[in-house]
Amino acid sequence: MKKLILLLIFIINAVFLYAVCPPGNQQLFIIVKPDNYPAEVSWKLFDNQNNIVLQSSTMQQLTPKVDSFCLLPNICYKFTIYDSYGDGICCNYGAGYYKLVLNGDTIANGGNYTSSQTTMFNCPPGSDCSSAEVVAGGNWYTASHNNYWYAFTPTQTGMYNVSTCDSNSCDTKIWIYDHCNNLYWDSTNVGTLTFNDNSCGLQSFVGVQLSEGHTYYIRIGSANGDCQVPIKWNLSNFIPIAGCTNPTACNYNPMATIYDGSCLFAGDPGCPNAPDLVVLQAELQSSMYVANTVAENCDVEEECLSGYGDRRIIRFSTHIKNIGQLPFYIGNPQNNPDQFSFINCHNHPHYVGYAEHVLYDMNGQAHPAGFKNGFCVMDLECSGGGTATYSCGNMGISAGCGDIYNSGIHCQWIDITDVDTGAYTFVVRVNWDHSPDALGHYETDYSNNWAQVCIRIKYDTNGNKIFSFIDDCQPYVDCSGQVYGNTQMDCTGECGGTTKMGDLDQNSFQETADAHEYISTILDETITPTPCNDLNADSKITVFDAALINACALYGTNHVIPNVGIFNFCN
């Protein structure tokens, strides 16, 4: 009863504190009483395009906070409340709670959650994956609104086609997801199993292998809201995949489910050549622009950003095509674990060595400005005459197809916050360690696995970092003179040297004994800063340097911190 009275008081006060909404709009009150750790609590309100329309400021007080907003009618909204520690707000450290009150009616309340809890409201059927319309193969459907969700559970494992081709005149998109719980989605291929835009003119088409008994979520929508609904689309029946099923054949198709008599073997003149990946330089350069972002824990731990807080970044798109004759086949993490890294903050497998972003100075030294492994490698376009076959469930790039990481995708950037002004060579490279694919196929050419842009980082008149392009960008040469080489100078300036940072006893190991040596030399006043011993680059040697090398020795590069994630103490 006491809580109800307090809630009514809050609402009454809010009516006087906030303007009355215009006729036809809806008044939303967001009431949050945090637990004893208010800084861990935040919330966001998303519209039906998954854009953030409102979000909380940093919470500091322990008393309830009331926010009031006027919302447009007939728009589906998603409210998500977060707890950065992962223990909710109700139960462990103070009686916290939250409530959503829409036009006087309580539409959600709670507090007993882990990292987040989501509430959808004002949403018609098909507005999100939890209210998806169930469909079956072999039928045409009509999406009555943009971003309409459908659920499909195959009765057979095989290929299925989803298409908006030849049935619409507007710019359609197709997204397919293999999960609904904790799904984050936007207008890009983030979180998708597969995705397509403009496969057939402005229309879209995906061919994807789906597993029997698993529920998939199909989202039908348009580019930038171009389609004034309805949108017609088709879901095919099960399509068996015909091809060579013999793993010893030179044209073995790991996706094939039935043999079609096409197998060829080594020495046969009809054997196709190998895959050949290439990064499109023109698309890289044309997509680059400066932006700001705020670092999250995973951004730093996965080396997407070089530090915490507000960061200045350069965003860009990466387009990788397979211009060879064979697919570059990766498969899935379960069947090909050697191809993936499973130690990361976001708890999703990364395909190792796929795409990397490197910023080199004029001395050829790499700067820690960003790094990217492939969280999914799939056929997003087939302008080279290929047939889209691979998705996040079974990764690869078909011959004649390409994979695209759009500039709007998370981590698709380099961090220039702490980079000095000057001239740099920015490189995006794929399969730079020349690894074979999961079938043992090596590429025919590695000289085209790099795309580069020469830029000059500088300040504008407002003191913000910007960049400009430098013409006549010569191919990057490493310190050994190798074009597109990987050799770097160590901290002593020796090309290909092996001296490690903080290794004071010079035994090639970073260990606790080095931390003891730091303390001894600091007390003796016999140590001076050098590029190899000044671990935090502050031009001083202090106990902080000793602590840094000791943490590296104790915890290494992949230390698990409970409720935080993976941390690299040697970076």
Side-chain angles (χ1 to χ4, degrees):
M1 185 65 182
K2 183 178 179 181
K3 282 189 177 181
L4 178 61
I5 294 173
L6 287 173
L7 175 60
L8 291 173
I9 293 173
F10 292 142
I11 296 176
I12 292 170
N13 287 339
V15 170
F16 289 102
L17 287 172
Y18 299 98
V20 176
C21 291
N25 284 24
Q26 298 174 304
Q27 184 112 40
L28 174 69
F29 290 97
I30 300 175
I31 305 162
V32 179
K33 162 63 172 70
D35 58 15
N36 294 339
Y37 295 90
E40 297 174 358
V41 184
S42 62
W43 56 260
K44 293 178 181 177
L45 186 68
F46 302 86
D47 64 12
N48 57 353
Q49 298 292 327
N50 218 39
N51 299 313
I52 299 173
V53 293
L54 301 166
Q55 57 186 323
S56 63
S57 56
T58 302
M59 295 190 179
Q60 297 178 343
Q61 78 283 357
L62 298 178
T63 56
K65 186 176 188 298
V66 181
D67 290 292
S68 175
F69 304 98
C70 296
L71 303 180
L72 296 172
N74 303 319
I75 289 181
C76 176
Y77 290 97
K78 179 177 73 173
F79 173 84
T80 301
I81 188 167
Y82 306 91
D83 185 273
S84 61
Y85 193 76
D87 62 352
I89 59 175
C90 77
C91 309
N92 295 323
Y93 304 100
Y97 61 88
Y98 74 92
K99 291 182 181 291
L100 301 182
V101 181
L102 184 66
N103 287 345
D105 296 324
T106 298
I107 59 173
N109 62 80
N112 186 15
Y113 59 94
T114 54
S115 296
S116 66
Q117 193 166 63
T118 294
T119 298
M120 308 282 296
F121 59 95
N122 279 0
C123 301
S127 295
D128 69 308
C129 61
S130 63
S131 63
E133 178 184 334
V134 177
V135 293
N139 289 294
W140 281 91
Y141 298 93
T142 300
S144 60
H145 58 76
N146 198 18
N147 288 316
Y148 199 105
W149 292 76
Y150 299 86
F152 173 58
T153 306
T155 57
Q156 290 178 284
T157 297
M159 291 293 293
Y160 292 84
N161 294 335
V162 179
S163 174
T164 61
C165 299
D166 303 323
S167 58
N168 302 277
S169 59
C170 57
D171 192 352
T172 61
K173 283 187 176 183
I174 297 171
W175 299 261
I176 299 181
Y177 305 86
D178 61 1
H179 65 289
C180 180
N181 290 336
N182 298 317
L183 171 62
Y184 175 81
W185 57 271
D186 61 16
S187 61
T188 72
N189 57 315
V190 167
T192 63
L193 175 67
T194 189
F195 160 85
N196 184 255
D197 181 27
N198 299 344
S199 174
C200 40
L202 294 177
Q203 310 312 309
S204 299
F205 173 90
V206 294
V208 59
Q209 186 179 42
L210 304 179
S211 299
E212 175 187 351
H214 185 92
T215 299
Y216 298 89
Y217 300 90
I218 303 170
R219 177 162 67 105
I220 303 296
S222 64
N224 302 316
D226 179 61
C227 292
Q228 302 301 312
V229 293
I231 302 173
K232 296 181 180 179
W233 67 282
N234 177 261
L235 172 61
S236 75
N237 282 317
F238 160 76
I239 304 170
I241 306 172
C244 174
T245 56
N246 189 328
T248 65
C250 63
N251 63 334
Y252 167 60
N253 182 357
M255 302 287 286
T257 55
I258 59 173
Y259 179 53
D260 64 356
S262 64
C263 286
L264 303 173
F265 297 89
D268 191 303
C271 277
N273 208 336
D276 184 14
L277 302 181
V278 57
V279 185
L280 300 188
Q281 189 274 341
E283 193 159 336
L284 167 67
Q285 181 167 341
S286 65
S287 65
M288 293 173 63
Y289 65 95
V290 175
N292 296 314
T293 191
V294 178
E296 301 173 357
N297 282 344
C298 285
D299 295 334
V300 180
E301 292 161 30
E302 295 190 356
E303 300 180 37
C304 292
L305 292 172
S306 304
Y308 293 95
D310 297 326
R311 312 300 295 180
R312 189 73 164 173
I313 59 176
I314 298 176
R315 285 187 171 274
F316 57 91
S317 297
T318 301
H319 189 166
I320 298 169
K321 290 183 70 72
N322 181 2
I323 61 174
Q325 296 179 7
L326 281 179
F328 190 88
Y329 178 68
I330 298 169
N332 60 59
Q334 290 71 39
N335 295 338
N336 301 283
D338 293 343
Q339 300 270 323
F340 294 85
S341 167
F342 297 87
I343 303 176
N344 58 77
C345 183
H346 281 114
N347 296 317
H348 52 232
H350 287 172
Y351 174 55
V352 177
Y354 178 55
E356 185 182 35
H357 315 150
V358 192
L359 189 67
Y360 294 102
D361 63 22
M362 288 299 97
N363 295 319
Q365 287 299 103
H367 286 251
F371 179 76
K372 182 77 171 182
N373 270 319
F375 62 85
C376 176
V377 183
M378 60 179 169
D379 294 326
L380 282 180
E381 60 85 17
C382 291
S383 57
T387 300
T389 303
Y390 296 102
S391 66
C392 295
N394 219 338
M395 300 187 199
I397 305 180
S398 300
C401 295
D403 185 17
I404 302 171
Y405 279 71
N406 185 273
S407 61
I409 292 177
H410 201 75
C411 208
Q412 195 63 30
W413 60 59
I414 53 171
D415 183 357
I416 61 171
T417 310
D418 303 319
V419 176
D420 290 336
T421 56
Y424 295 87
T425 300
F426 170 48
V427 166
V428 174
R429 57 187 187 177
V430 60
N431 195 21
W432 65 92
D433 57 358
H434 302 180
S435 297
D437 70 2
L439 298 179
H441 296 134
Y442 287 86
E443 294 186 55
T444 56
D445 183 8
Y446 291 102
S447 65
N448 56 10
N449 287 42
W450 288 51
Q452 66 174 48
V453 179
C454 293
I455 61 173
R456 185 173 301 279
I457 297 175
K458 53 190 177 181
Y459 288 102
D460 64 14
T461 55
N462 296 318
N464 298 312
K465 276 186 179 171
I466 58 174
F467 74 94
S468 60
F469 295 111
I470 300 174
D471 297 331
D472 190 26
C473 186
Q474 297 299 310
Y476 167 77
V477 179
D478 69 11
C479 63
S480 69
Q482 177 68 40
V483 177
Y484 300 142
N486 296 317
T487 306
Q488 292 276 287
M489 291 186 289
D490 67 7
C491 59
T492 67
E494 179 183 354
C495 183
T498 59
T499 301
K500 294 185 176 181
M501 297 280 290
D503 180 20
L504 292 192
D505 58 13
Q506 297 183 4
N507 66 350
S508 299
F509 295 98
Q510 294 163 316
E511 53 194 353
T512 298
D514 294 306
H516 295 163
E517 184 73 10
Y518 267 99
I519 298 301
S520 298
T521 54
I522 290 170
L523 293 174
D524 295 342
E525 298 182 352
T526 57
I527 188 170
T528 56
T530 71
C532 287
N533 63 23
D534 184 9
L535 302 186
N536 63 335
D538 65 350
S539 301
K540 297 181 290 185
I541 302 299
T542 68
V543 291
F544 188 41
D545 295 287
L548 289 173
I549 192 63
N550 196 50
C552 172
L554 291 175
Y555 304 119
T557 60
N558 291 307
H559 182 69
V560 179
I561 301 177
N563 301 306
V564 175
I566 309 298
F567 197 81
N568 180 357
F569 280 91
C570 298
N571 181 19

